[in-house]
Amino acid sequence: MRATTARLSLAFLLTFILAIAGSVIAVKQHDFKKCHQSSFCRRNRQLADRAAEVPEWNAPYALDPASISVDSGVLTGAVLKSINGGAETVELPLTVSFLASGVARVTLDEKKRQLGEIELNNDRIRKERYNEAEKWSIVGGLDADSSIDSSAIFANDEVTVVKYGPAKNFEAVITHSPFSLKFIRDGEEQVVLNDRGLINMEHWRPRDSTPEEGVDQDGLFDESFSGKSDTKPRGPESVGLDISFIGYDHVFGIPEHASPLSLRETRGGGDGAYDEPYRLYNLDVFEYEFDSPMSLYGAIPFMQAHKKGGDVAVFWLNGAETWIDVVKKRAEKTTTQTHWFSESGLLDVFVFLGPTAEENIKSYSQLTGTTALPQTFSIAYHQCRWNYLSQDDVAQVDAKFDEHDIPYDVIWLDVEHTDGKRYLTWDEANFPEPEKMLEALDKKQRKLVNIVDPHIKKDDDYHVYQGAKANDVIVKDNNGNNYEGWCWPGSSVWVDFFKPKAVDWWKSLMTYDAYKGSAKNLYVWNDMNEPAVFSGPEITMPKDNIHEGGWEHRDIHNINGMVFHNATALALMNRDGDKPLRPFVLTRSFFAGTQRISASWTGDNLGNWEHLAVSIPMVLSNGIAGMTFTGADVGGFFGNPSPELLARWYQVGAFYPFFRAHAHIDTKRREPWLAGEPWTGYMKEAIRGRYRLLPTWYTAFRRASVDGMPVLRPMYLAFPDVEEGFGIDDQFFLGDSGILAKPVTKEGVDSVSVWLGDEQPYYDYSNYDVHQGKGQTIVYAPIDKTPMLIQGGNIFVRRDRSRRSSPAMKYDPFTLIVALDKDGNAKGRFYLDDGETFDYNGGAYVERTFTFDGKKGTLRSDSLNDPVPAEYLKNMERVRVEKVIIVGANGQQLGDVHAVDVLQGGKKWETEVEYVKSGDGKARVLTVRDPAVRITEDWTLQLRVGKNEL
Ligand code: NOJ
């Protein structure tokens, strides 16, 4: 035992020395599997090769027509896989559910495993295929369309056809032999499952069975990587399927990868193709590459396909290691062929037929949930580093922000704040009075976030370890003993949050009494929850570890991080009894569903220009897959960015939904004031710009929380019919605001080329220069400026007074920016609530539309929420609009306005205007001064032109 510990210590020391050396910055490829080193990946790719080589390849899978029945929207049947040259068959129960939302769900299981008629070499393990991904990931949208029954289908010996969807314009054509499924919309084929015959349910077989013809036997029953073995008690059990998107050139999604938004080919070498499949296996990848299909910390197996005129999507519900190959077949129209394979579990795939991306995102959100509406502070600016070393350090950093007049809301403490990496404790020498520290922050309405990692130091005197042992909530190894591995604190154990009692126990650890020194303004950062295990295979947990219910870690690996941050969020809510505030938890690992609970970030990026650039497609990709509350470490985690890079990073960061600066322990300090002027000023302006736009960000988050639309919108969502935009991933719209940003991500640049997807006028955000005409336009972007345009036709809201933190802005007045379209009209939407409680669920919010009618010369504000609880109205009564800036391209009307009538609550008063004449490509700008309308009530502004009202 001692020898093992000594070996581990040495290994840890070496890892640590290498980790901090920092001089050679490159991912350690050899720590992570390539496809050929993962036996099921190899086998599934080999199957694809065989299928491509054999003319007329047919998958040996057939749906038995006699087994088919349809009831209340669900088709069931038996797919038979023939093995041993047809001598035997394996029964695979099939369900195809036609959901009321128009989504179809296809599942395939394995009868023998279902019935437990198999033998395993480890009786602690469940015999079934893992079938609980749904339990953790899905929260709704599963009701089947009960109007579909056997009378609604057409069937003969060869095919079964089901018409479905809200308008019954979708069809599922199930070919019985070989088994395949075609999904048709309005008579056109869209998605085909098993188009290429790559379906593969690796059935259970005894170790001594006759090898399947053509199947690589290496690694079927055990395999090892980097000297670490995997006992694979259930033998091979991967599930694979090819999914073709007919006529679709672009596919997006399946984060998390540091790669472009439009997914590249992974086989067959197209333009910029990768040679490895995209991998989804949550991992702690040290110094990851900026252009790679390698796995990172999170996994969302949701893919969208987009073309002019329509969208489709698939959601592959599986929490095990998964790989996805992408190949494009270019003919008159390109078809994207994808090939998915997971190591274990059910085949469980949802097919979305749109017809728009928005509808697919909405349906996906119905299934896995929408982004939780965040507290306002959490979408403001966060200051982090590994580490702020003491409470004096925290106080000094905090004071410096005020000294430099830079707003910030949250300061973060990394692992060093604890007593020897024992989470939920404090290093008493450096943080002797955490209550006082939290109180001082609270006085300025600021928050603290403490890191709480999932590894628990194995120390009999540590209350968390004692509790984990006493409650028997520790993940087991394959022998049923508490699993021990190595992480920051040395020898550690991991809590199995799949156990309900682990969640209850975790809650009890975070009450204000139990978590000494904690307070209401303390929130939590769950890092390392892939989980990262320094001594484990691929720096994570062995796959044959055992969780609640006898499931192997293999089955739930990608879900594991989510159950941890879920427990933390529940614990934070629990500490405030029946009046909880919205929890804030940052998680590194995520899965489909994390968006309901936590924010995430893109992990340990590098402080270089390439990583700055790739952070944008990464954040966009997370966003379209539901996980919109994300950002990258501003400045880059590793390395020391130049002042220029840092300033540009702040400008990009001000557009991350989650905006946090962070840095590795070995980097130089880089808080915004340290670079000195002029750099500090640039960073300060980027942060202040974010604060001014917080109401618009919050409105975008509200939309995300209602129907899943991402806070940042890539061009294919904004201009779904304009093909040139589909591959663009370095510019984006902020929600529905019309703000189009293309932050600078290159060194020494003072202009960028922005792509415009329509013929509307676009106004430069800072000086109202007009850009018009579809295609590229050059926007001037010296170092003090983020290239931002406002698309004509939109109205958004700002709060222009600078405060030290976002809660201090609560009653500040608003400024409306009205950017007119080419016909002189504009509209917008606005959402506001208390920004911290759940009272909005009871209607305590303001939601309004703004409409500018160019012909009538009116700007109206109309409520979308009626009635609003009186208490909230009273509280917000004093909040006014202090300025309306109307930006018009040609603005004939705007030129002659000399006053404005204001109408609210049956009263009418007049206010002044001021306008700036257009000149040299600038828009006319009319400023309505202090209309003083209450934000909580409807109002109208009537522009007066000459002697007449317009
Ligand atoms: C890894 C995280 O990605 C990083 O942000 C953090 O600073 C370190 N762990 C130390 O906790």
Side-chain angles (χ1 to χ4, degrees), residues 386 414-415 451 488 525 527-528 588 601 604 637 660 662:
W386 179 15
D414 208 320
V415 288
I451 200 164
W488 298 128
W525 172 15
D527 186 17
M528 311 289 274
R588 193 168 69 175
W601 90 110
D604 299 348
F637 182 63
R660 184 189 72 155
H662 183 42

Side-chain angles (χ1 to χ4, degrees), residues 256-257 279-283 285 292-297 322:
E256 181 178 44
H257 302 99
R279 188 180 187 204
L280 293 177
Y281 189 57
N282 293 347
L283 290 174
V285 183
S292 164
M294 275 177 84
S295 262
L296 289 176
Y297 313 90
T322 298

Side-chain angles (χ1 to χ4, degrees), residues 94 96 98 106 172-175 178-183 191-195:
L94 166 78
V96 185
F98 299 97
V106 180
V173 178
I174 308 173
T175 302
F179 172 64
S180 77
L181 272 128
K182 275 193 185 95
F183 291 91
V191 182
V192 186
L193 309 188
N194 204 30
D195 191 26

